[in-house]
Amino acid sequence: MTMRLLTTLGTLAAALALSACASAPTELRGTGDLGVVIERATGRVQIVEHSHDSSLGSVDGLGDLSHAHVAFSRDSRYAYVFGRDGGLTKVDLLTRRIARRIIQAGNSIGGSVSQDGRLVVAQNYEPGGIKAFDADTLELLAEVPAEYAPGKFSRVVGLADVPGQRFAYALFDANEIWVSDLSDPRKPVTTRYPAGKQPYDGLVTPDGRYFLAGLFGEDGISLLDLWHPEAGSRKILSGYGRGEEKLPVFKMPHLRGWSLAAGQAWLPAVGRHEVLVADVRSWQEAARIPVKGQPVFVMARPDGRQVWVNFAFPDNEWVQVIDTVEKRVIHTFSPGKAVLHLEFTPRGEEVWLSSRDSNRVTVVDTASFAVRKELPADAPSGIFFTSRAQRIGF
Amino acid sequence: MDRSLLIHVAVLLGLTALAVSAAPAAEPAPTPERQQTLVHMVRQDCGSCHGMRLAGGLGPALLPERLAELPDESLVATILNGRPGTAMPGWNRFMDEAEAGWIVARLKEGFPSLQ
């Protein structure tokens, strides 16, 4: 008996020792400076840290990561990686291992975490709709099919978590904005609003009050005030193209990081080489800034003094920086070929940029624009820091 | 406004003329180097809408099963000129008709992977 116990203990100790050396990290560390870099073509993510700008390791086996999106658990220990192929993988940032993985849809473009951190919600193209999962176990709790007419399902875009366990999103094929209340996760309650033609992405303001859906099928943005949902949605900046034919759009803009800075909203004009600026009180156009190509991401540095812009093919090697007070471009540079994404550190002293076709991530000082570091990465796309876990709408 | 519309139309016409004149009657296959560029472009840049594995996204899947029934000429025309009123842009600034034809043939037999 005792002998047996001893053997068992021995085996256990050996197993522990083994698992300890298999998983690299042995020291205690926090997660506030961690992040994930998507290596698009290889189904892999790198785990990085921005205190010393280094890569800590990588995690493999995540499937098709074109258009991958990442959301973080409330404690910032886990990354939820949403793959194009419907894979939803919960990655442990500390052990750098897959904690759980499911295939939840046929074609997915992202997801978000609820206000209380208990639900992970995915937005899907196929089958069109959203699905809510238990954040710990990834057990399916609820489904809201985007069935906008009998037997007709829309692709869902622009999903954002908003206060009150609600999620706002847009239906590309149905020209609508939906808000689903998941307070009782097993019984979602959904309200529908008209949006305008072909909403292609959405975002919520940092206070969780306004949901905006960018429109592809017409010039303008659809706006829903979540403090006064009874007033319905309305259109802003309509006709910003002034009736001119838009240029062919080789890549859809993204609104996720699209941003508020200096009391104004900064957003990409679709099919134009312009960044649009709208006053946040009146939602009237305040300015438009000519830029080098069609903007994809228009992102404010966290303090709002700068807005950084990358561009659609074929101008995607360029990045421009706009000064939000002077409202003009103050810096133009190329960190590499095919710049797909950028992410600021939480207080904005540096920004990380991914260059897919140069196979690297470039870390740039936002005050001097000097390159601080270049990290090798295999066709990198999205970069996501854990500070997103503490923000509404990410 | 009319003026810039006119310019657009003129540029478009010019491009179309260019694309047409660039396509020789007997279409030689693109050079191996150019083929690699095209494969990269389809997987990565077309992939932003059609998915890197071409299984669909904002644009439909471009897999052999789906394309088999569709005539080559119409697929080539879609790639070069886009489909007005949809999110599909025309790519005639970046490839000629022979190259679009080469892409369509590869799509129908199962598109090559990235190197």
Side-chain angles (χ1 to χ4, degrees), chain A residues 186-197:
Chain A
R186 303 240 179 221
K187 290 201 193 85
V189 179
T190 299
T191 317
R192 301 167 61 161
Y193 305 89
K197 282 191 208 136

Side-chain angles (χ1 to χ4, degrees), chain B residues 61-76:
Chain B
L62 300 178
L63 298 171
E65 312 83 89
R66 254 204 88 248
L67 297 185
E69 304 292 297
L70 306 172
D72 289 4
E73 314 82 74
S74 97
L75 293 173
V76 168

Side-chain angles (χ1 to χ4, degrees), chain A residues 40 66 107 155 245 250 357, chain B residues 8 40 44 52 56-58 90:
Chain A
R40 196 168 183 261
S66 43
N107 197 317
R155 289 167 287 188
E245 192 160 337
F250 295 108
D357 293 352
Chain B
H8 277 170
H40 184 268
Q44 300 288 19
M52 214 165 40
L58 197 60

Side-chain angles (χ1 to χ4, degrees), chain A residues 239-293:
Chain A
Y240 64 75
R242 306 186 181 113
E244 291 165 19
E245 192 160 337
K246 65 174 179 233
L247 302 168
V249 176
F250 295 108
K251 183 178 165 111
M252 284 288 180
H254 279 260
L255 303 184
R256 188 76 2 175
W258 146 19
S259 43
L260 294 195
Q264 288 160 327
W266 300 71
L267 36 131
V270 179
R272 306 177 66 83
H273 293 188
E274 285 173 348
V275 168
L276 305 174
V277 189
D279 182 86
V280 171
R281 264 197 216 116
S282 64
W283 293 107
Q284 297 292 315
E285 179 177 322
R288 46 177 80 199
I289 296 162
V291 287
K292 211 165 169 62

Side-chain angles (χ1 to χ4, degrees), chain A residues 62 64 67 69 80-90 100-112 120-134 137-144 156 159:
Chain A
L62 277 63
D64 180 356
H67 209 292
H69 183 76
Y80 300 101
V81 182
F82 302 87
R84 168 68 91 183
D85 55 6
L88 167 54
T89 314
K90 184 177 175 183
R100 274 211 162 70
R101 174 169 162 84
I102 58 170
I103 301 291
Q104 57 87 19
N107 197 317
S108 176
I109 61 153
S112 199
V120 178
V121 175
Q123 55 176 339
N124 297 323
Y125 277 0
E126 182 55 54
I130 64 167
K131 286 185 181 177
F133 302 89
D134 181 292
T137 62
L138 299 189
E139 178 203 355
L140 178 66
L141 298 178
E143 218 172 313
V144 183
V156 169
L159 178 78

